[in-house]
Amino acid sequence: MSLPQTPVIPNSANQNSDFDLTARTIAYFSMEIALAPSLPTYSGGLGMLAGDTLRSAADTAAPILAVSLVHRRGYFRQHLDTIGQQTETDVPWAPEATLPSANRIVSIQMQGREVLLRAWRFEVVGVTGHVVPVFLLDSDVEGNDSWDRHLTDHLYGGDTYYRLCQEAILGLGGIALLQSLGATPEVFHMNEGHAALLTIALLETQLHGAPLRNATEADIEAVRHQCVFTTHTPVPAGHDQFGLDQMYQVLGHDRASAIDRIGCLHNGLMNMTYIALKFSRYVNGVAMQHGIVSQQMFPEYPIHAITNGVHAATWLSESFQQLLDAQIPAWRTDNQYLRSVYGISPANVAATHRKGKLRLMAEVASRTGQTFDPNVLTLGFARRVATYKRASLLFTDPARLVAIAEKIGGLQILFAGKAHPADTAGKGLIREVFASAALLNSSALKIVYLENYDWELGALLTQGVDVWVNTPRRPYEASGTSGMKAALNGVPSLSILDGWWIEGCAENTTGWAIEDGESEEIEAASLYQKLEYAIAPLYANTTAWAAMQRHCIAMNGTFFNTHRMLAQYFQNSYQVPPTLTSVTAESIQHEPALA
Ligand SMILES: *Cc1c(COP(=O)(O)O)cnc(C)c1O
């Protein structure tokens, strides 16, 4: 077991400033937020998106504050043995030695007792100095039951009871903290269903302490008026639900019976998504197709879409940042200026990408002892290991893959990704990739699986490979964001047309679509076909490849960023429409063309 670490936080103004929280009109709630590479407060895409959103909020001086949990022991560090067997260790850190305290203790009633909570304040500092405060709730408070003191230790750890307690802390504790700090947000944004219990706390506030059974439709409407919700996955297991016994045990009779009476149960279970849907005036999915898929999943609620993005300055390589600062300095506050990359020569873009590739290869060598050739076509595949992401689709026809590698003058593939500690099937997938790599590694084909996919490794990979590969089973990839990081760095994608790629793919210009097929074999065949006949010949043509790299930045970097995404949240989600009963864009679109 390792000792608690004191992370170095370069991006946080580590002083005890007391800003005026009453000016913060938006409260952003998320179970995980990636705040700094050294802080283990995230697991993957959801936390990255939350962090990137807040970094864009800081850069664009948006009036936002955020609430999450401290996760004192992190998600986990991944260890892989020689056959790809994953084991995990905790990532303990010491918030008291790292961040200023919010100087408040609040208490919430849960599990039939009082739980005390404190909070640590992380400051996301934008490019012009604007600060977005993030409050990390911590139950490790003297006076708490010793079991309760560990409730904010493990992100996505423990059983469903532990998870429900964490969600109670996030939703109920988060509102209690904001009230004690004197914050007066007008909009509460639930980033995924984990935060849905904040609606119950708002309903309690609305009732001034009267029992929830007194709540009227007007009270519920008053809460709805303040809440917006983003749903993040079409995978059913991604929507948390809890048994009624646990709901009553953790939340107590008044809240639990209100949740039942208001109609937030689904299939006899307490369902966080349905609570959030019921109490939100605006709901969105995270890419256009995901909005449609979510609408089919929840037909009784109108569901919109705002496509995800990434924080450009976080994901652009050092060398690209230097190039852009010199050529297009305004890009940091307004990413739309990235379009002016068309004023930079393709050769300059290609040379800048090459620096990222060299850096990646040096890191691969130092981590694994494997020598990669910077002149050889290099594919990257890194993501949370879940069965629908199909990490092994590339190995469907190993002989074909080897033949292509030999024909095109070599091929290198870098893999990375963590499986959730309880996901036995996911862990099996990692071993499968290891087995394929051991079998196929030759002078023409080099395959390496890198350990512990995290912020830093994600950046290295998306900045350094030549092509980013994504092979999800449709339509389970809600958005995906790693391909957006790649695009910003001039890296095209080879991907199933799912999630963001439906919007981002311009064939042979920003990348390639793997054609839909009836079976994995057919889809794999399309992947091999594109690799052999479209990608390899283009890669061999230095001028054409450089032009493509520039298109990726100009066409996709300009759009798939969180500056644009956040502006869309303000326009479509956060801003209350003039009257809630006014005609919506949707209702106009659905009118017949000819009356
Ligand atoms: C960007 C990122 C993700 C999310 O990427 P997807 O394309 O959604 O898989 C996950 N983990 C890390 C470490 C990342 O940087």
Side-chain angles (χ1 to χ4, degrees):
M1 202 189 74
S2 36
L3 288 171
Q5 300 290 307
T6 305
V8 181
I9 313 291
N11 214 25
S12 184
N14 205 357
Q15 81 261 358
N16 215 359
S17 58
D18 249 323
F19 17 66
D20 184 12
L21 291 177
T22 59
R24 303 298 163 133
T25 51
I26 318 291
Y28 184 88
F29 279 65
S30 184
M31 182 56 88
E32 49 168 313
I33 308 181
L35 292 166
S38 59
L39 289 186
T41 56
Y42 69 96
S43 90
L46 183 72
M48 271 310 168
L49 180 81
D52 279 359
T53 301
L54 299 179
R55 285 182 277 280
S56 279
D59 283 347
T60 57
I64 293 183
L65 59 77
V67 178
S68 189
L69 304 192
V70 70
H71 305 304
R72 284 178 162 271
R73 307 192 73 79
Y75 182 50
F76 67 86
R77 188 184 197 295
Q78 177 195 49
H79 307 271
L80 296 171
D81 70 10
T82 50
I83 61 155
Q85 180 69 46
Q86 173 181 303
T87 50
E88 304 92 21
T89 49
D90 284 359
V91 193
W93 67 291
E96 46 279 85
T98 312
L99 299 176
S101 164
N103 292 319
R104 294 288 187 288
I105 302 267
V106 295
S107 88
I108 57 173
Q109 197 66 30
M110 55 183 276
Q111 312 167 85
R113 58 179 176 262
E114 189 168 61
V115 174
L116 303 176
L117 300 169
R118 58 178 165 171
W120 305 98
R121 199 183 68 229
F122 184 93
E123 301 186 348
V124 183
V125 183
V127 64
T128 60
H130 181 80
V131 170
V132 170
V134 183
F135 298 99
L136 302 174
L137 292 157
D138 182 2
S139 70
D140 187 12
V141 178
E142 210 170 311
N144 274 344
D145 177 285
S146 64
W147 194 78
D148 293 345
R149 291 184 76 154
H150 295 290
L151 284 174
T152 53
D153 277 1
H154 293 280
L155 173 59
Y156 305 138
D159 54 12
T160 56
Y161 183 87
Y162 185 82
R163 175 76 75 93
L164 180 52
C165 287
Q166 291 191 323
E167 297 188 3
I169 289 173
L170 179 63
L172 307 174
I175 295 295
L177 178 78
L178 293 186
Q179 288 172 348
S180 100
L181 287 166
T184 52
E186 290 160 16
V187 179
F188 295 83
H189 184 173
M190 291 170 267
N191 186 46
E192 193 47 292
H194 309 127
L197 289 172
L198 73 83
T199 63
I200 303 303
L202 292 177
L203 191 59
E204 289 175 342
T205 306
Q206 174 71 19
L207 289 169
H208 305 291
L212 290 177
R213 75 177 109 82
N214 295 357
T216 62
E217 272 306 316
D219 293 320
I220 293 167
E221 193 53 38
V223 173
R224 280 189 80 247
H225 194 73
Q226 305 168 67
C227 295
V228 299
F229 170 47
T230 302
T231 179
H232 282 271
T233 178
V235 179
H239 297 260
D240 280 347
Q241 44 187 21
F242 302 96
L244 299 192
D245 48 342
Q246 286 186 347
M247 173 173 80
Y248 276 88
Q249 222 178 329
V250 173
L251 300 181
H253 186 271
D254 187 43
R255 292 179 186 132
S257 59
I259 288 169
D260 183 351
R261 188 175 62 80
I262 292 166
C264 297
L265 300 188
H266 186 68
N267 292 334
L269 296 169
M270 171 193 182
N271 185 305
M272 301 303 279
T273 302
Y274 278 86
I275 296 176
L277 288 168
K278 179 81 189 176
F279 280 100
S280 293
R281 64 170 162 79
Y282 181 93
V283 180
N284 71 284
V286 291
M288 298 315 281
Q289 179 194 240
H290 180 236
I292 294 167
V293 172
S294 302
Q295 184 65 84
Q296 286 161 358
M297 291 174 75
F298 310 111
E300 55 279 45
Y301 297 94
I303 305 206
H304 306 258
I306 296 176
T307 302
N308 279 346
V310 297
H311 183 249
T314 296
W315 296 107
L316 276 161
S317 69
E318 274 297 318
S319 39
F320 266 117
Q321 292 191 42
Q322 282 164 14
L323 176 69
L324 295 170
D325 283 342
Q327 305 284 329
I328 323 169
W331 74 275
R332 285 185 188 270
T333 45
D334 184 347
N335 290 170
Q336 301 203 62
Y337 287 112
L338 289 170
R339 184 76 178 198
S340 301
V341 74
Y342 280 133
I344 301 173
S345 75
N348 199 349
V349 170
T352 305
H353 175 266
R354 178 146 179 119
K355 292 179 192 160
K357 190 171 183 183
L358 293 173
R359 199 164 144 257
L360 170 64
M361 311 232 127
E363 187 69 21
V364 169
S366 92
R367 289 187 186 201
T368 68
Q370 300 278 337
T371 314
F372 271 44
D373 181 344
N375 296 316
V376 168
L377 178 63
T378 303
L379 313 182
F381 184 105
R383 47 194 41 88
R384 186 166 55 85
V385 182
T387 43
Y388 81 87
K389 303 231 185 199
R390 302 192 296 190
S392 52
L393 194 79
L394 261 166
F395 302 124
T396 309
D397 185 349
R400 175 100 199 260
L401 188 64
V402 171
I404 293 171
E406 285 168 354
K407 175 185 161 190
I408 69 175
L411 183 65
Q412 302 172 139
I413 311 176
L414 286 166
F415 279 93
K418 295 174 175 178
H420 185 277
D423 182 4
T424 327
K427 289 182 174 182
L429 284 179
I430 300 178
R431 289 196 305 273
E432 266 181 48
V433 174
F434 265 72
S436 299
L439 209 63
L440 302 180
N441 264 327
S442 61
S443 56
L445 180 60
K446 262 200 140 55
I447 303 162
V448 164
Y449 201 112
L450 296 162
E451 210 173 52
N452 201 41
Y453 180 44
D454 64 1
W455 181 329
E456 275 162 351
L457 184 53
L460 271 166
L461 285 166
T462 52
Q463 292 164 9
V465 300
D466 296 305
V467 177
W468 195 248
V469 180
N470 194 15
T471 54
R473 182 174 293 120
R474 254 159 81 83
Y476 292 114
E477 184 84 307
S479 167
T481 52
S482 53
M484 302 175 183
K485 301 166 192 168
L488 268 167
N489 286 284
V491 173
S493 281
L494 167 62
S495 169
I496 298 279
L497 276 177
D498 201 10
W500 83 282
W501 192 233
I502 298 170
E503 298 159 56
C505 178
E507 186 77 9
N508 283 314
T509 303
T510 59
W512 304 268
I514 300 168
E515 314 274 337
D516 272 0
E518 306 269 283
S519 68
E520 302 222 329
E521 285 69 27
I522 296 174
E523 296 190 346
S526 167
L527 186 160
Y528 296 135
Q529 147 102 26
K530 297 270 165 114
L531 194 55
E532 183 172 0
Y533 297 109
I535 299 173
L538 197 73
Y539 182 73
N541 179 343
T542 317
T543 317
W545 191 263
M548 175 171 222
Q549 292 180 310
R550 196 172 64 160
H551 285 312
C552 289
I553 303 171
M555 294 173 67
N556 283 346
T558 310
F559 185 82
F560 296 101
N561 58 72
T562 37
H563 282 22
R564 182 271 314 156
M565 184 198 82
L566 188 64
Q568 283 200 295
Y569 273 94
F570 271 94
Q571 184 176 338
N572 300 294
S573 173
Y574 299 159
Q575 266 173 28
V576 182
T579 63
L580 281 173
T581 53
S582 68
V583 179
T584 64
E586 284 70 21
S587 66
I588 294 168
Q589 275 169 17
H590 293 153
E591 302 243 320
L594 289 171

